[in-house]
Amino acid sequence: MGMNIGSSGGSGNDPEPMMEMNMTPLIDVMLVLIIMLIITIPIQNHAIKLNMPTGNPPVQSAPPIVDTVDIDPTGTVLWNGAPMANRAELESKLQAVVAMGNVDEVHLRPNKLVEYKSVAAVMASAQRLGVTKIGIVGNEQFMNQ
């Protein structure tokens, strides 16, 4: 491990002194440490428990009954194509839907030019009266503005 600096004989045929360190033992020690580290780290098992349904889902016998509520650019509300005179008439229709329970869904289709307060008023009435399934349809008109 020492360096050969020179000889006492003074001859010029001596080899050059070795100036680099032998890296082989250092690499061997590092590899052993890495292997020991890999062995001692516990294996991480991440499991998510899911309750998956069993069997086949029931087949729908008939398509759902849907009532549509359209709102035109002036704020006029249309129930299945028939204009509503005022908000009280709309609320009476919504109460009838909730009372009978024969309508599965109410689809709200606002025009892209209508003010938001008209849409919010219809949605608030539906929520207050107990309509549980209301969907906003016709969103593709908002894609290309």
Side-chain angles (χ1 to χ4, degrees), residues 23-44:
M23 297 296 288
T24 305
L26 179 65
I27 294 172
D28 290 344
V29 168
M30 293 302 292
L31 287 173
V32 168
L33 288 175
I34 289 174
I35 291 171
M36 289 177 62
L37 181 70
I38 291 172
I39 290 172
T40 58
I41 293 177
I43 297 173
Q44 299 292 324

Side-chain angles (χ1 to χ4, degrees), residues 70-78 109-111 113-115 118:
D70 295 317
I71 305 174
D72 67 2
T74 61
T76 305
V77 178
L78 304 161
R109 185 175 317 162
N111 189 292
L113 300 176
V114 72
E115 292 182 359
S118 300

Side-chain angles (χ1 to χ4, degrees), residues 26-141:
L26 179 65
I27 294 172
D28 290 344
V29 168
M30 293 302 292
L31 287 173
V32 168
L33 288 175
I34 289 174
I35 291 171
M36 289 177 62
L37 181 70
I38 291 172
I39 290 172
T40 58
I41 293 177
I43 297 173
Q44 299 292 324
N45 290 331
H46 296 287
I48 298 174
K49 294 181 181 178
L50 297 175
N51 294 330
M52 299 299 289
T54 58
N56 294 329
V59 178
Q60 282 189 340
S61 59
I65 300 169
V66 177
D67 279 336
T68 58
V69 178
D70 295 317
I71 305 174
D72 67 2
T74 61
T76 305
V77 178
L78 304 161
W79 182 271
N80 288 334
M84 299 280 107
N86 53 20
R87 188 168 171 179
E89 188 179 351
L90 172 68
E91 289 183 359
S92 68
K93 289 278 192 180
L94 289 171
Q95 283 176 346
V97 165
V98 172
M100 290 191 306
N102 61 352
V103 175
D104 296 328
E105 300 175 13
V106 175
H107 288 179
L108 178 63
R109 185 175 317 162
N111 189 292
K112 70 178 183 178
L113 300 176
V114 72
E115 292 182 359
Y116 179 72
K117 67 180 180 179
S118 300
V119 178
V122 171
M123 290 175 61
S125 295
Q127 181 183 15
R128 188 178 74 252
L129 295 172
V131 177
T132 56
K133 290 188 178 181
I134 184 166
I136 299 178
V137 295
N139 292 332
E140 52 277 344
Q141 65 181 330

